Amino acid sequence: MKVLVIGSGGREHALCWALSASSLVDALYAAPGNAGMAEEAQCVDIAADDIGTIGAFAKSNAIDLVVIGPEGPLVAGLADLLEADGIKAFGPSAAAARLEGSKGFTKDICARYGIPTAAYGRFTETGPALDYLQRVGAPIVVKADGLAAGKGVIMAETVAEAEAAVADILDGDRFGAAGSEVLIEEWLGGEEASFFALVDGVTALPLASAQDHKRAGEADTGPNTGGMGAYSPAPVVTEALAGRIMDRVIEPTVRAMNEAGCPYRGVLYAGVMIADGVPKLLEYNVRFGDPECQVLVLRLRSDLLPALLAAREGGLKHFDLRWRDEAALSVVMAAKGYPGAYGKGSEIRGIEAADAIDGVKVFHAGTKAEDGKLLAVGGRVLNVTALAPTIAEAQAKAYRAVDAIDWPGGFCRRDIGFRAVG
Ligand code: AMP
Ligand code: GLY
């Protein structure tokens, strides 16, 4: 098969790396890709959001399968566009991608199907939103309804902060169309985990458990980021809890999407908050997590390609995935300043030395090759990922690999996995 992967992050590098190992893949392309992905795939200079040009490229190059990494092109309808042209796409239709594209859509499904989640209100006008805030008080969480590149969630400690967030979302122009509606919801306590399932429209197949670290600072403090590291398995997700998440969250959602006439196909990523063994849905994403995908592919023993095809084709009922018993842990190296303003163009050395450590794979997230040098061109730049018998050993190995990398312009958290290592 000729396979095209859409995206340029560490998640997409991990997908390329796994797909390049498949005996079913004859040719692998990435759009736009990055310097690391160029080792496994032929990079094509088309932006991930330029869905028209992606469609034309896929058609003229007789691509058999397009694996769509990020949410942007999914919500914009790339899977629909490709399928209409007879090209297989891994990833949900635009209608099904509303599970990530509209937080209000998801919350209403939760309400209708009894899926446990934070209590909430949806508002398009400031007046009623402020009345609701007065009634429920703080702390409280305020969210822009649409896609906001991770910046649309405000954890408000006080009512004043929450009021400012509501005004910013509904009346300001910072969020564009994503801010035409605001969601106000109960602040949930507990431990967060990322739960993934492949879904073929009817059947959901859970993947190995994973957890990420969203805050920029050690001990999970500081500003929210796309994710500073991840590990799998997640000890907090016991087998019993995974069963509960499947029964109470994933399965009813799959049913709801069918009944709404937009069956979900692709990978469904539930962000869940766990307190006293009870999972509550925080949000859905319609894609793999980044950097959770990086640890999952390292643990995946089965060929990834047939699994993605089975999700597209309704073949998950009798499908089985095999995982390594070992644990995987990934440390994100980011440009100094991330998630705020950061510099671009600093040189990175020593990736080969890190990659040479047995069980280590360095995935690239924001890199570019220029004049024989490797340059950092993004916020999150490298995902140093290690496989070892235990999470503690994977952690030690990943940091050994981090220390082999010479990049004065970068930083990382030194405590990835601390909740699992103790
Ligand atoms: P979201 O994009 O909705 O997942 O929100 C981003 C992050 O904000 C989540 O990963 C949580 O860490 C946090 N968060 C979102 N909603 C809530 C909530 N209702 N209670 C507590 N934390 C939340
Ligand atoms: N790691 C969080 C995300 O991919 O949204």
Side-chain angles (χ1 to χ4, degrees), residues 212 214 226 269 285 287 289-292:
D212 78 342
K214 292 210 165 58
Y269 161 3
N285 297 300
R287 49 169 176 84
D290 184 347
E292 292 94 323

PDB file of all heavy atoms in Angstrom, residues 212 214 226 269 285 287 289-292, ligand 2:
ATOM      1  N   ASP A 212      -0.253  11.418  30.495  1.00  0.00           N
ATOM      2  CA  ASP A 212       0.711  12.440  30.103  1.00  0.00           C
ATOM      3  C   ASP A 212       0.826  13.483  31.200  1.00  0.00           C
ATOM      4  O   ASP A 212       0.096  13.442  32.197  1.00  0.00           O
ATOM      5  CB  ASP A 212       0.366  13.041  28.736  1.00  0.00           C
ATOM      6  CG  ASP A 212      -0.759  14.064  28.798  1.00  0.00           C
ATOM      7  OD1 ASP A 212      -1.507  14.070  29.803  1.00  0.00           O
ATOM      8  OD2 ASP A 212      -0.892  14.837  27.850  1.00  0.00           O
ATOM      9  N   LYS A 214       0.628  17.475  31.563  1.00  0.00           N
ATOM     10  CA  LYS A 214       0.225  18.635  30.754  1.00  0.00           C
ATOM     11  C   LYS A 214       0.915  19.929  31.162  1.00  0.00           C
ATOM     12  O   LYS A 214       1.063  20.828  30.358  1.00  0.00           O
ATOM     13  CB  LYS A 214      -1.291  18.832  30.839  1.00  0.00           C
ATOM     14  CG  LYS A 214      -2.056  17.711  30.147  1.00  0.00           C
ATOM     15  CD  LYS A 214      -3.370  18.149  29.588  1.00  0.00           C
ATOM     16  CE  LYS A 214      -3.930  17.144  28.599  1.00  0.00           C
ATOM     17  NZ  LYS A 214      -4.121  15.798  29.163  1.00  0.00           N
ATOM     18  N   GLY A 226       0.893  21.310  25.470  1.00  0.00           N
ATOM     19  CA  GLY A 226       0.376  20.180  24.705  1.00  0.00           C
ATOM     20  C   GLY A 226       0.717  18.853  25.352  1.00  0.00           C
ATOM     21  O   GLY A 226       0.125  17.828  25.031  1.00  0.00           O
ATOM     22  N   TYR A 269     -10.057   9.349  21.775  1.00  0.00           N
ATOM     23  CA  TYR A 269      -9.174   9.620  22.920  1.00  0.00           C
ATOM     24  C   TYR A 269     -10.019  10.326  23.978  1.00  0.00           C
ATOM     25  O   TYR A 269     -10.443  11.462  23.796  1.00  0.00           O
ATOM     26  CB  TYR A 269      -8.016  10.460  22.413  1.00  0.00           C
ATOM     27  CG  TYR A 269      -7.180  11.257  23.385  1.00  0.00           C
ATOM     28  CD1 TYR A 269      -7.355  11.235  24.768  1.00  0.00           C
ATOM     29  CD2 TYR A 269      -6.154  12.052  22.904  1.00  0.00           C
ATOM     30  CE1 TYR A 269      -6.556  11.985  25.618  1.00  0.00           C
ATOM     31  CE2 TYR A 269      -5.350  12.814  23.749  1.00  0.00           C
ATOM     32  CZ  TYR A 269      -5.564  12.783  25.089  1.00  0.00           C
ATOM     33  OH  TYR A 269      -4.783  13.535  25.926  1.00  0.00           O
ATOM     34  N   ASN A 285     -10.933  13.736  22.300  1.00  0.00           N
ATOM     35  CA  ASN A 285     -10.136  14.129  21.150  1.00  0.00           C
ATOM     36  C   ASN A 285     -10.363  13.060  20.097  1.00  0.00           C
ATOM     37  O   ASN A 285     -10.583  11.892  20.432  1.00  0.00           O
ATOM     38  CB  ASN A 285      -8.653  14.234  21.509  1.00  0.00           C
ATOM     39  CG  ASN A 285      -8.403  15.324  22.541  1.00  0.00           C
ATOM     40  OD1 ASN A 285      -8.687  16.482  22.307  1.00  0.00           O
ATOM     41  ND2 ASN A 285      -7.907  14.937  23.696  1.00  0.00           N
ATOM     42  N   ARG A 287      -8.300  11.907  17.802  1.00  0.00           N
ATOM     43  CA  ARG A 287      -6.973  11.614  17.257  1.00  0.00           C
ATOM     44  C   ARG A 287      -6.152  10.971  18.355  1.00  0.00           C
ATOM     45  O   ARG A 287      -6.599  10.904  19.508  1.00  0.00           O
ATOM     46  CB  ARG A 287      -6.341  12.938  16.850  1.00  0.00           C
ATOM     47  CG  ARG A 287      -6.487  13.922  18.037  1.00  0.00           C
ATOM     48  CD  ARG A 287      -5.716  15.162  17.935  1.00  0.00           C
ATOM     49  NE  ARG A 287      -5.990  16.049  19.055  1.00  0.00           N
ATOM     50  CZ  ARG A 287      -5.399  15.982  20.244  1.00  0.00           C
ATOM     51  NH1 ARG A 287      -4.505  15.047  20.500  1.00  0.00           N
ATOM     52  NH2 ARG A 287      -5.704  16.829  21.203  1.00  0.00           N
ATOM     53  N   GLY A 289      -3.190  10.945  21.114  1.00  0.00           N
ATOM     54  CA  GLY A 289      -2.569  11.959  21.958  1.00  0.00           C
ATOM     55  C   GLY A 289      -1.114  12.133  21.564  1.00  0.00           C
ATOM     56  O   GLY A 289      -0.480  11.227  21.027  1.00  0.00           O
ATOM     57  N   ASP A 290      -0.607  13.303  21.850  1.00  0.00           N
ATOM     58  CA  ASP A 290       0.789  13.609  21.574  1.00  0.00           C
ATOM     59  C   ASP A 290       1.355  14.187  22.854  1.00  0.00           C
ATOM     60  O   ASP A 290       0.928  15.287  23.233  1.00  0.00           O
ATOM     61  CB  ASP A 290       0.840  14.620  20.414  1.00  0.00           C
ATOM     62  CG  ASP A 290       2.256  14.940  19.967  1.00  0.00           C
ATOM     63  OD1 ASP A 290       3.196  14.581  20.686  1.00  0.00           O
ATOM     64  OD2 ASP A 290       2.409  15.563  18.898  1.00  0.00           O
ATOM     65  N   PRO A 291       2.177  13.537  23.611  1.00  0.00           N
ATOM     66  CA  PRO A 291       3.065  12.420  23.271  1.00  0.00           C
ATOM     67  C   PRO A 291       2.590  11.005  23.660  1.00  0.00           C
ATOM     68  O   PRO A 291       3.421  10.095  23.652  1.00  0.00           O
ATOM     69  CB  PRO A 291       4.330  12.774  24.062  1.00  0.00           C
ATOM     70  CG  PRO A 291       3.803  13.408  25.316  1.00  0.00           C
ATOM     71  CD  PRO A 291       2.546  14.129  24.912  1.00  0.00           C
ATOM     72  N   GLU A 292       1.309  10.788  23.954  1.00  0.00           N
ATOM     73  CA  GLU A 292       0.901   9.424  24.324  1.00  0.00           C
ATOM     74  C   GLU A 292       1.122   8.419  23.184  1.00  0.00           C
ATOM     75  O   GLU A 292       1.469   7.266  23.413  1.00  0.00           O
ATOM     76  CB  GLU A 292      -0.586   9.399  24.719  1.00  0.00           C
ATOM     77  CG  GLU A 292      -0.904  10.141  26.018  1.00  0.00           C
ATOM     78  CD  GLU A 292      -1.338  11.568  25.765  1.00  0.00           C
ATOM     79  OE1 GLU A 292      -0.785  12.210  24.842  1.00  0.00           O
ATOM     80  OE2 GLU A 292      -2.230  12.061  26.481  1.00  0.00           O
TER      81      GLU A 292
HETATM   82  N1  GLY B   2      -1.248  14.975  25.220  1.00  0.00           N
HETATM   83  C1  GLY B   2      -2.468  15.668  25.113  1.00  0.00           C
HETATM   84  C2  GLY B   2      -3.044  15.768  23.780  1.00  0.00           C
HETATM   85  O1  GLY B   2      -2.579  15.181  22.830  1.00  0.00           O
HETATM   86  O2  GLY B   2      -4.045  16.469  23.624  1.00  0.00           O
END
